Amino acid sequence: MSALPARRDEPASGFAAEAVRAQFPILATRMRGRPLVYLDSAASAQKPRAVIDALARFYEHDYANIHRGVYELSQRASALHEEARREVARFLGSRDPREIVFVRNATEGVNLVAYAFLEPRLEPGDEILVTEMEHHANIVPWQLVAGRRGARVVPVPITDEGELRVEDVAERIGPRTRMLAVTWVSNVLGTITPVHAIAELARRRGVPLLVDAAQAAPHLPIDVRSLGADFLVFSGHKTYGPSGVGVLWGRAELLEAMPPWQGGGDMIERVSFAGTTFNTIPFRFEAGTPDIAGIHALGVALRWLRGLGLEAVRAHEEALVGYALERLPRVPGLRVLGSPRARAAVVAFTIDGLHPQDVGTLLDLDGIAIRTGHHCAMPLHERLGLPASARASMGVYTTLGEIDALAASLERIVARFR
Ligand code: PLP
């Protein structure tokens, strides 16, 4: 048994976790006869009532296709759509809503930049720098365009602690480097990378930088103006919004200079068989009917998240991850992956003698949901010498008691099966 007292109801760092938690209907669910302990927010966050209601309300009162109808309902839906774009711009600190391109998810945002921005500039022998701890979404799109152009993707190594050092990035930027693509937060190690310093370096060396903010957006305040990157992507479903919607932010002048990447309705100015001209940004990159209600609800989710205060969210999650790092290593045989100085609310671990898959399955019997496997980061697991790991990831609704529940369940599993 742990020497630490069970603290299920105690909020972390004064953040009203229980009040926030009460806004998430799914968290009242019982799993296998026990309260659901949802520790898989890095895969996808649960949705607050405000977002669920916004979706239903939109379909009940405001739904029509956008940018097309002259009738009032379509105009209302279009106005709400563009309001969502302004909300995303506020969330990211962009002054210009034209810099916000709606996509399906972070993955599609990376693909858009890879095909529309980078591919036309790539020559055989060119290099795209990523890091060893990227999610596949920030590796494979670059490999695909590199393969079409005879270029290659080069990984920047991380330290044994799981950190990314600016000097290691600097060392690998060479005359053939055409793109740098770096995660802000590792979805496995939780490492918060020094993206501001990397952006400064990229600017100095004249290399375009894409920041993968899929795991940063739910946890850290973002201000693209002070960040100084060229592109940034994130997914709605990890930021308490719906699945199926995501965001690419790009500097207006770069987006302006990019050709379209998918053709269809809405992205054109004029179509004829003699030739087609294209719409202005961001519409040039938004072919076809988007997830209209989902984008509206994403705006609501981001407003809701901003309402909590991202500094307060960060403090809450720092307390959670600090507690997890103190409590989980008391489980016999448990080893936490990485020891970065700055870590978001993600803790991956292994337990000697137990396969992560079995750990996940056994935790599920206690109603505890964690992620097991390679977490779409196979090169990182290779670097760590592991085929797989288990990962607990937290969100605004997570309580210290849930970490206790996880640790206690792991202790029972270890006592019984190891
Ligand atoms: N980047 C990181 C760091 C992630 O953790 C994820 C998803 O887990 C992605 C990108 C891809 O997100 P999506 O599947 O929503 O496109």
Side-chain angles (χ1 to χ4, degrees):
M1 273 303 288
S2 148
L4 295 165
R7 302 195 287 186
R8 170 163 288 277
D9 297 316
E10 189 180 314
S13 68
F15 181 83
E18 289 296 338
V20 172
R21 193 178 167 81
Q23 298 180 43
F24 288 77
I26 204 169
L27 297 178
T29 305
R30 292 181 75 79
M31 277 292 145
R32 303 184 183 276
R34 293 162 185 264
L36 166 66
V37 174
Y38 186 74
L39 292 170
D40 199 19
S41 295
S44 204
Q46 297 297 351
K47 318 302 169 200
R49 170 65 69 198
V51 170
I52 298 167
D53 287 353
L55 269 176
R57 213 172 35 244
F58 189 83
Y59 279 123
E60 283 177 14
H61 300 288
D62 303 311
Y63 184 78
N65 211 332
I66 49 163
H67 301 155
R68 283 163 209 193
V70 292
Y71 54 90
E72 187 181 339
L73 196 57
S74 173
Q75 290 184 0
R76 192 152 82 215
S78 303
L80 286 169
H81 188 75
E82 293 311 315
E83 174 48 33
R85 198 185 304 275
R86 286 191 292 278
E87 183 54 45
V88 175
R90 277 193 286 276
F91 182 77
L92 295 179
S94 162
R95 279 215 191 92
D96 186 353
R98 295 179 314 140
E99 297 188 324
I100 307 302
V101 181
F102 288 122
V103 287
R104 283 185 302 137
N105 43 39
T107 302
E108 192 172 57
V110 177
N111 276 276
L112 199 167
V113 175
Y115 285 95
F117 173 76
L118 186 63
E119 191 180 354
R121 300 161 172 241
L122 271 188
E123 304 276 345
D126 282 348
E127 294 177 352
I128 302 151
L129 285 192
V130 299
T131 81
E132 279 182 331
M133 64 178 145
E134 298 307 317
H135 186 280
H136 298 163
N138 203 22
I139 299 175
V140 183
W142 307 117
Q143 286 178 329
L144 290 174
V145 294
R148 286 151 66 116
R149 292 285 179 161
R152 64 192 191 111
V153 175
V154 176
V156 177
I158 56 167
T159 67
D160 290 342
E161 291 74 35
E163 302 221 347
L164 178 64
R165 298 189 321 170
V166 182
E167 51 270 41
D168 288 334
V169 181
E171 201 174 288
R172 272 154 192 88
I173 294 179
R176 304 307 302 266
T177 308
R178 295 286 170 265
M179 188 85 209
L180 179 56
V182 175
T183 193
W184 191 332
V185 172
S186 160
N187 67 313
V188 178
L189 304 174
T191 308
I192 301 175
T193 63
V195 276
H196 292 81
I198 290 170
E200 202 196 315
L201 167 72
R203 230 181 11 260
R204 249 191 353 259
R205 304 283 285 271
V207 179
L209 170 67
L210 177 139
V211 171
D212 175 357
Q215 296 294 346
H219 306 295
L220 303 173
I222 297 180
D223 177 31
V224 286
R225 271 177 298 160
S226 62
L227 177 60
D230 298 292
F231 300 100
L232 179 142
V233 297
F234 74 93
S235 289
H237 68 97
K238 295 186 201 283
T239 52
Y240 308 99
S243 51
V245 297
V247 170
L248 162 67
W249 167 85
R251 278 183 195 287
E253 65 271 23
L254 294 180
L255 293 177
E256 299 266 23
M258 282 159 58
W261 82 306
Q262 288 178 344
D266 239 20
M267 53 75 73
I268 53 89
E269 180 190 51
R270 192 183 149 69
V271 178
S272 81
F273 288 110
T276 290
T277 53
F278 303 112
N279 207 337
T280 52
I281 63 162
F283 312 109
R284 185 192 305 161
F285 302 107
E286 296 177 345
T289 301
D291 184 346
I292 304 168
I295 287 171
H296 166 66
L298 172 63
V300 171
L302 297 182
R303 194 158 55 243
W304 178 87
L305 188 53
R306 273 201 309 127
L308 292 185
L310 275 142
E311 300 290 352
V313 167
R314 174 75 186 128
H316 167 65
E317 293 179 350
E318 265 188 317
L320 286 169
V321 81
Y323 184 60
L325 292 173
E326 178 190 329
R327 179 65 183 89
L328 293 178
R330 293 169 181 239
V331 176
L334 188 146
R335 189 165 62 88
V336 170
L337 304 188
S339 53
R341 271 164 302 181
R343 188 196 283 260
V346 179
V347 180
F349 59 89
T350 56
I351 299 181
D352 294 342
L354 288 175
H355 194 282
Q357 202 79 31
D358 296 335
V359 172
T361 304
L362 292 165
L363 285 172
D364 179 51
L365 297 177
D366 279 344
I368 299 172
I370 63 153
R371 178 85 185 262
T372 60
H374 53 64
H375 321 304
C376 298
M378 287 172 102
L380 173 63
H381 279 82
E382 208 168 294
R383 163 73 173 84
L384 299 171
L386 297 168
S389 62
R391 178 187 74 184
S393 56
M394 300 148 237
V396 292
Y397 36 66
T398 308
T399 63
L400 295 170
E402 290 184 301
I403 296 171
D404 282 328
L406 169 66
S409 183
L410 288 171
E411 279 162 352
R412 282 194 296 275
I413 291 167
V414 165
R416 184 129 182 250
F417 296 100
R418 201 163 71 106

